[in-house]
Amino acid sequence: MTEDARPEVAAWNGLVDALRSAGDKLAADTAGLDPTEQADGFRALVRGLSNQLSRFEVDRERPELVPFNGWRHKFLMDNPDFRYWVTEVRGHRAYRLRGNRGDASYMSVTVYRRTGGIGAEATARIDSDTIGFDDDGAFEIVLGGTAPGAGDRLELPEKAGVVWVRFFHDDVARDEMGWCSIDPVVEPPVPPSIDAARFASSLGTLAATTSMLPTIFEMSTKDDLDPPNVLRHWSEMAGGAVFTEPGIHYVRGGWQLGPGEALVVEGDVVECRYWNILAYSRFLNSLDFRYRPVSYTGTTATVVDGRYRFVVATEDPGGSGDWIDSEGRDFGIIVMRFLQPADAPPLPSARVVRLDELRGE
């Protein structure tokens, strides 16, 4: 067998070629942008690759819940007001999920089946309305298998492959974070040290997903530019949103601002379980939430007479509304999430104003 005919060599070369192809497309797509945005595009590509590598070696017999979308691993509309844990399972196995909700105002466990590419469909779920918690917030859920004598159980439907655990936090700066772990109900046999065919296949999946990222960046922002500075209702499974939480209604729009300009977003608070607003780059990464005000929840936002007001700008508007730091980007994306709203949220108004005029209002 020649070196090129070896499956792992072919898969590795495919990954290298995919990285080169993704880089070439991203370079072409960002050619007209300023140097900061050009570099940020490649940072988003590296973060996406890093996210996938953090879950590359998967053991579905002994799965591990991996924290998802930390600041080094931002990937397709991350959300710093949520805490995500992700694992892959086998639909015919049984597992025990344990954890603690911490100060999360809402929690859900959702099972998905893959539908091709990076697409997915939710097939089973349970949330904090029905999960049994003890006085300290601890919980235990059996996934799959036969129903236990007592406690919570979540079915693993046929072809179930991915489990997401979400903790919705009102104030991540002050809340105690939720956590979770997973173990098989029945101890599985010791696996082989490596499954060569599966390893080659995983490299192929990594290559395919990475190669799609520049196209996702490009396609998912088209509506945000046509026209900009307008907020729209957004389908949860379109434009880059995958493995979404059922029951979330999205509102989304892009800003296009010149020097000294700001985007004012105003609207009425709607009856829902939870809501937040968050700013993203054109590469679908949240902006720098570690050091800048780029997201608010229904708890941290300033609500006056049932209304909110956010100002997207390079500088603090000085009391004219909750400031969303644009990081000096002339283009970016705003996404609002409304969990289980009583009715479809009315679209907020959005208007471009001069920052100095806004301060004088």
Side-chain angles (χ1 to χ4, degrees), residues 315-318 320 354-361:
E315 301 174 20
D316 189 337
S320 299
R354 297 290 306 175
L355 188 57
D356 53 358
E357 295 175 2
L358 184 66
R359 287 175 174 147
E361 289 184 4

Side-chain angles (χ1 to χ4, degrees), residues 87-103:
T87 192
E88 298 196 22
V89 298
R90 295 196 187 280
H92 61 282
R93 298 295 191 191
Y95 309 91
R96 186 169 284 108
L97 178 67
R98 296 184 177 94
N100 192 292
R101 70 185 295 172
D103 291 330

Side-chain angles (χ1 to χ4, degrees), residues 25-346:
K25 175 167 177 50
L26 189 59
D29 291 346
T30 58
L33 302 180
D34 66 54
T36 299
E37 289 277 57
Q38 290 173 338
D40 194 40
F42 279 86
R43 180 174 65 170
L45 191 61
V46 170
R47 284 172 168 173
L49 178 62
S50 179
N51 181 292
Q52 297 170 81
L53 287 173
S54 71
R55 296 173 292 119
F56 179 74
E57 293 194 73
V58 173
D59 185 348
R60 293 178 178 84
E61 302 291 341
R62 293 182 182 81
E64 299 172 78
L65 281 157
V66 179
F68 187 81
N69 266 338
W71 71 269
R72 294 183 182 88
H73 308 104
K74 295 180 182 182
F75 185 58
L76 301 184
M77 295 286 184
D78 61 290
N79 185 349
D81 295 318
F82 293 3
R83 288 297 183 267
Y84 308 84
W85 299 75
V86 185
T87 192
E88 298 196 22
V89 298
R90 295 196 187 280
H92 61 282
R93 298 295 191 191
Y95 309 91
R96 186 169 284 108
L97 178 67
R98 296 184 177 94
N100 192 292
R101 70 185 295 172
D103 291 330
S105 59
Y106 182 80
M107 172 197 162
S108 68
V109 182
T110 307
V111 179
Y112 300 87
R113 70 174 184 89
R114 297 186 184 276
T115 57
I118 61 174
E121 175 188 15
T123 56
R125 70 185 300 277
I126 189 172
D127 63 23
S128 49
D129 288 345
T130 54
I131 295 172
F133 299 94
D134 69 14
D135 293 341
D136 296 323
F139 63 88
E140 181 173 316
I141 304 168
V142 173
L143 306 180
T146 57
D152 296 314
R153 176 176 177 267
L154 182 61
E155 182 181 1
L156 291 181
E158 184 179 0
K159 296 184 179 179
V162 184
V163 176
W164 283 61
V165 182
R166 291 178 174 86
F167 298 93
F168 293 55
H169 284 277
D170 291 320
D171 189 346
V172 293
R174 294 176 174 84
D175 283 358
E176 178 182 346
M177 296 296 102
W179 65 270
C180 51
S181 64
I182 188 171
D183 297 289
V185 170
V186 177
E187 184 68 16
V190 176
S193 60
I194 184 170
D195 183 329
R198 181 178 167 190
F199 175 72
S201 175
S202 296
L203 282 176
T205 300
L206 177 62
T209 304
T210 304
S211 67
M212 287 190 291
L213 290 180
T215 299
I216 293 173
F217 298 158
E218 176 190 22
M219 298 299 295
S220 69
T221 58
K222 279 190 173 181
D223 288 344
D224 299 307
L225 286 165
D226 187 24
N229 304 319
V230 175
L231 294 175
R232 309 171 182 85
H233 296 293
W234 181 43
S235 172
E236 66 181 34
M237 294 303 289
V242 294
F243 292 105
T244 59
E245 165 72 12
I248 292 182
H249 186 104
Y250 294 86
V251 171
R252 168 176 169 167
W255 74 78
Q256 184 82 61
L257 300 173
E261 291 184 333
L263 180 70
V264 178
V265 177
E266 296 177 286
D268 294 317
V269 173
V270 300
E271 182 182 348
C272 61
R273 294 292 301 271
Y274 177 100
W275 67 273
N276 79 333
I277 185 170
L278 178 60
Y280 294 91
S281 72
R282 68 176 73 235
F283 307 109
L284 311 183
N285 280 190
S286 63
L287 300 192
D288 189 5
F289 59 81
R290 294 187 303 153
Y291 301 114
R292 300 171 183 269
V294 300
S295 75
Y296 295 86
T297 71
T299 296
T300 60
T302 302
V303 177
V304 178
D305 296 330
R307 288 181 61 81
Y308 55 78
R309 189 188 210 199
F310 302 103
V311 180
V312 181
T314 300
E315 301 174 20
D316 189 337
S320 299
D322 285 327
W323 178 34
I324 295 178
D325 190 344
S326 68
E327 300 182 348
R329 298 171 188 262
D330 61 354
F331 173 76
I333 302 165
I334 288 290
V335 174
M336 301 186 75
R337 292 170 170 87
F338 300 90
L339 174 65
Q340 299 173 12
D343 298 294

